């Protein structure tokens, strides 16, 4: 491991910015737009949020006949999410957040773990860089570390998503060859510069809200302040080599509420922000209670970006990151609450967009996570069974599968399934049983974690799946998203709307 500061970053960043500006400003159009033109884009991303995540959250919080805020947007489409293999155009059917975010941020398919580079490791400009060069205000908001894959892809470039900082290491910043050795250091040294260092120096986003304070150091704060940013909290003591929870000061919801600058950085946790379900259960004295909600950060970002008098409009990306992280953990209760928190941020964005009349709102996901499923009340899943379900059709032998299985073997395994994971079996880590939740349609005495609750949920795996994801859109020109499309086309459509 070595200290991350790289003397060559500044020159590389300047060269990249020059190329981006020279390539794109010419195509940005005039400052005057027609009454029905797009002046702002708010792009909201529910990380890991598949179709079932949306349906389950609707049923949980609004009832079967209700609608979430995102479901009230007028245009609905689908997005294919696959990535490609390194140094190839061969599809990799299940994407990660890094390659998916690069697809919509830069319009190229790339390999899993890549940020702001194509499949061959070449840096590609991002929509946020292009918008900034064209005179638009820019913002990036996330409930994850702001250096994590989804936010990072809008304003950084690196060969591996793990190259976040505060230290540089070959294992986190350089891909491996087939023989296990590391690739040679690239000519473009920005690509192995930790993401935190890039963010602190490239001026790509005017407003930055999220987590990840531990990724930054005091000289990052100085660089930001030298570039005109107000830094909420503190990135540490310059006298210390390694920053700690005692030397750094996270920003708070009160700091967020009072800020009024045009360029602001607020990091509200040293890691990811606290999940909604856990934060709500904490006492008021807990430090995590001082974190803002995603809706709070979204509202403030919109206020700051829209109040600027020197810009043409703004581009804002907002990520509900914990939907994915809690799906990986197969925690249905936390997953549902994170979808609701994300939907609250969408509602905040829509409040502005409806009043403004020149704002395009796009809501989608990078991929589905964990095969989230709504199952029939009273049933159980294959993971809980002693043996898989029967595969014989007694009425038509042509439908029988091989090898044959008997229906009598399809019984619940009492050792591996002792009860509902958020109910009777919640303390047993071996439990594969579903999680059950009451909905507004249930009688008042029905409780979560009971067999009487009407919403039964389970997971297929602990990782991403290759399913297409939904996309919702609102505003002038938003009908272009009401189709089946590649994730790379999201970049093309947003670029055309904002930077024709």
């Amino acid at each position: 491991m070595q200290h991350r500061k790289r003397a060559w970053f500044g020159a590389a960043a300047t060269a990249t910015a020059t190329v981006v500006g020279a390539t794109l400003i010419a195509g940005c159009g005039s400052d005057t737009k027609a009454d029905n033109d797009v002046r702002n884009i708010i792009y909201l991303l529910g990380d890991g949020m598949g179709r079932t995540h949306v349906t389950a959250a609707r049923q949980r919080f609004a009832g079967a006949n209700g609608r979430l805020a995102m479901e009230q947007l007028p245009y609905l489409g689908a997005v294919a999410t696959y990535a490609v293999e390194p140094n190839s155009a061969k599809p990799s059917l299940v994407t990660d957040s890094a390659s998916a975010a690069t697809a919509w941020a830069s319009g190229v398919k790339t390999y899993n773990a890549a940020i702001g580079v194509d499949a061959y490791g070449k840096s590609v400009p991002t929509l946020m860089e292009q918008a900034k060069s064209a005179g638009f205000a820019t913002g990036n908001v996330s409930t994850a570390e702001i250096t994590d894959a989804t936010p990072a892809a809008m304003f950084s470039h690196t060969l591996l998503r793990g190259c976040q900082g505060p230290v540089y290491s070959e294992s986190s910043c350089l891909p491996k060859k087939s023989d296990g050795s590391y690739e040679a250091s690239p000519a473009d040294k920005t690509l192995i510069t930790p993401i935190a260092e890039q963010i602190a120096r490239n001026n790509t986003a005017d407003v930055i809200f999220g987590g990840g304070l531990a990724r930054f150091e005091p000289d990052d704060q100085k660089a930001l302040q030298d570039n005109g940013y107000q830094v909420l909290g503190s990135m540490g003591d310059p006298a210390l080599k390694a920053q700690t929870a005692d030397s750094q000061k996270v920003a708070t919801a009160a700091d967020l509420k009072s800020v009024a600058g045009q360029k602001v950085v607020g990091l509200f946790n040293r890691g990811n922000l606290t999940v909604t379900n856990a934060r709500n259960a904490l006492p008021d004295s807990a430090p995590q209670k001082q974190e803002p909600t995603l809706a709070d950060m979204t509202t403030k970002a919109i206020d700051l970006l829209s109040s600027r008098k020197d810009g043409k409009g703004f581009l804002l990306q907002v990520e509900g990151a914990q939907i994915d992280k809690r799906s990986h953990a197969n925690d249905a209760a936390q997953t549902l609450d994170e979808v609701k928190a994300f939907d609250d941020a969408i509602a905040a964005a829509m409040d502005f967009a409806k009043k403004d009349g020149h704002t395009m709102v796009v809501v989608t996901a990078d991929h589905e996570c964990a095969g989230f499923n709504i199952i029939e009340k009273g049933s159980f899943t294959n993971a809980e069974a002693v043996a898989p379900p029967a595969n014989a059709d007694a009425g038509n032998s042509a439908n029988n599968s091989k090898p044959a299985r008997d229906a009598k073997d399809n019984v619940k395994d009492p050792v591996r399934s002792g009860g509902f994971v958020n109910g009777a079996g919640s303390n047993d880590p071996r439990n594969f049983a579903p999680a059950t939740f009451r909905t507004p349609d249930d009688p008042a005495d029905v409780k979560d974690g009971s067999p009487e609750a009407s919403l039964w949920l389970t997971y297929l795996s602990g990782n991403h799946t290759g399913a297409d994801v939904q996309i919702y859109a609102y505003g002038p020109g938003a009908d272009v998203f009401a189709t089946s499309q590649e994730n790379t086309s999201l970049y093309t459509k947003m670029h055309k709307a904002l930077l024709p």
Side-chain angles (χ1 to χ4, degrees):
M1 301 282 282
Q2 53 184 297
H3 201 254
R4 69 173 165 90
K5 298 304 168 191
R6 321 290 283 185
W8 27 253
F9 172 77
T14 301
T16 299
T18 301
V19 172
V20 169
T23 302
L24 296 153
I25 289 178
C28 292
S30 66
D31 290 347
T32 303
K33 288 195 170 190
D35 287 344
N36 63 344
D37 279 350
V38 177
R39 298 174 187 172
N40 315 302
I41 293 179
I42 305 175
Y43 179 80
L44 300 110
L45 190 284
D47 201 305
M49 185 183 72
R51 177 70 256 181
T52 300
H53 288 78
V54 177
T55 305
R58 175 212 309 150
Q59 293 171 345
R60 165 68 161 165
F61 298 108
N65 292 322
R67 287 292 181 271
L68 298 177
M70 70 183 88
E71 295 179 297
Q72 298 177 45
L73 275 63
Y75 301 110
L76 172 64
V79 181
T81 64
Y82 66 92
V84 294
E85 299 291 343
N87 301 305
S88 169
K90 180 183 177 182
S92 177
L93 297 183
V94 180
T95 189
D96 78 338
S97 296
S99 55
T102 299
W104 73 69
S106 296
V108 298
K109 292 281 188 180
T110 192
Y111 58 90
N112 286 337
I115 294 285
V117 299
D118 65 17
Y120 301 90
K122 181 181 178 181
S123 182
V124 287
T126 76
L127 182 64
M128 190 168 287
E129 291 169 340
Q130 294 167 340
K132 184 66 182 291
S133 293
F136 289 84
T138 51
N140 208 337
V141 174
S142 178
T143 54
E145 294 178 284
I146 204 66
T147 53
D148 203 1
T150 299
M154 270 294 189
F155 56 6
S156 65
H157 307 266
T158 186
L159 299 175
L160 291 179
R161 61 182 289 178
C163 191
Q164 297 184 46
V167 295
Y168 167 86
S169 69
E170 287 186 331
S171 62
S172 62
C173 298
L174 282 173
K176 282 188 175 182
K177 301 178 184 177
S178 58
D179 64 3
S181 63
Y182 292 105
E183 296 278 359
S185 179
D188 181 355
K189 300 306 180 185
T190 303
L191 302 183
I192 53 171
T193 299
I195 293 167
E197 185 175 350
Q198 295 186 47
I199 293 169
R201 288 158 180 80
N202 63 22
N203 284 296
T204 300
D206 298 309
V207 175
I208 302 170
F209 294 146
L213 180 62
R215 300 292 184 179
F216 293 82
E217 295 183 332
D219 60 339
D220 295 321
Q221 179 166 333
K222 183 179 186 304
L224 286 161
Q225 291 171 333
D226 288 347
N227 283 321
Y229 285 88
Q230 179 181 356
V231 178
L232 309 182
S234 170
M235 292 181 178
D237 181 352
L240 298 177
K241 289 184 178 180
Q243 302 306 312
T244 67
D246 292 331
S247 65
Q248 293 185 316
K249 180 183 177 183
V250 297
T252 66
D255 294 332
L256 179 72
K257 186 175 181 180
S258 62
V259 73
Q262 292 189 351
K263 296 178 73 175
V264 184
V265 176
L267 304 178
F268 303 95
N269 194 299
R270 298 190 76 239
N272 300 316
L273 298 192
T274 308
V275 295
T276 304
N277 183 284
R279 188 180 66 239
N280 290 345
L282 292 170
D284 291 341
S285 59
Q288 295 89 342
K289 277 285 192 178
Q290 307 311 309
E291 296 176 12
T293 66
L294 184 58
D296 292 337
M297 293 190 292
T298 301
T299 299
K300 176 57 76 169
I302 292 171
D303 288 346
L304 296 176
L305 296 172
S306 64
S307 65
R308 290 180 52 152
K309 305 301 182 185
D310 60 342
K312 301 176 180 180
F314 66 83
L315 169 66
L316 172 62
Q317 176 174 288
V318 177
E319 181 197 23
Q322 305 284 26
I323 300 168
D324 178 69
K325 297 181 188 302
R326 303 324 299 163
S327 293
H328 277 297
N330 285 188
D331 190 319
Q334 291 186 340
T335 298
L336 289 172
D337 285 346
E338 289 307 308
V339 177
K340 179 62 168 64
F342 176 61
D343 198 59
D344 290 343
I346 295 167
M350 287 300 298
D351 284 345
F352 171 81
K354 289 177 179 178
K355 295 172 185 175
D356 177 69
H358 298 283
T359 297
M360 174 184 284
V361 177
V362 181
V363 179
T364 188
D366 47 358
H367 52 72
E368 196 277 343
C369 186
F372 203 32
N373 278 291
I374 302 168
I375 62 173
E376 185 177 0
K377 183 177 179 179
S379 64
F380 62 96
T381 69
N382 291 356
E384 303 168 73
V386 174
N391 57 2
D393 184 347
N396 184 350
S397 59
N399 296 336
N400 291 346
S401 302
K402 294 180 180 179
R405 296 190 295 266
D406 196 310
K408 67 179 177 59
D409 293 325
N410 185 27
V411 294
K412 198 168 185 176
D413 186 338
V415 175
R416 297 167 67 224
S417 290
F420 307 112
V421 295
N422 63 332
S426 59
N427 294 323
D428 188 346
R430 300 171 301 171
N431 201 323
F432 284 83
T436 66
F437 298 90
R438 64 163 283 107
T439 73
D441 302 316
D442 289 335
D445 60 345
V446 170
K447 299 183 182 301
D448 291 347
S450 70
E452 292 78 26
S454 59
L455 180 59
W456 286 49
L457 298 170
T458 190
Y459 291 91
L460 175 67
S461 75
N463 225 322
H464 301 165
T465 70
D468 288 2
V469 294
Q470 63 290 324
I471 185 168
Y472 308 92
Y474 168 89
D479 59 306
V480 297
F481 296 101
T483 186
S484 294
Q485 57 223 297
E486 297 289 337
N487 52 7
T488 51
S489 73
L490 305 186
Y491 164 84
T492 304
K493 293 172 182 179
M494 289 190 289
H495 186 283
K496 184 176 181 180
L498 198 65
L499 304 168

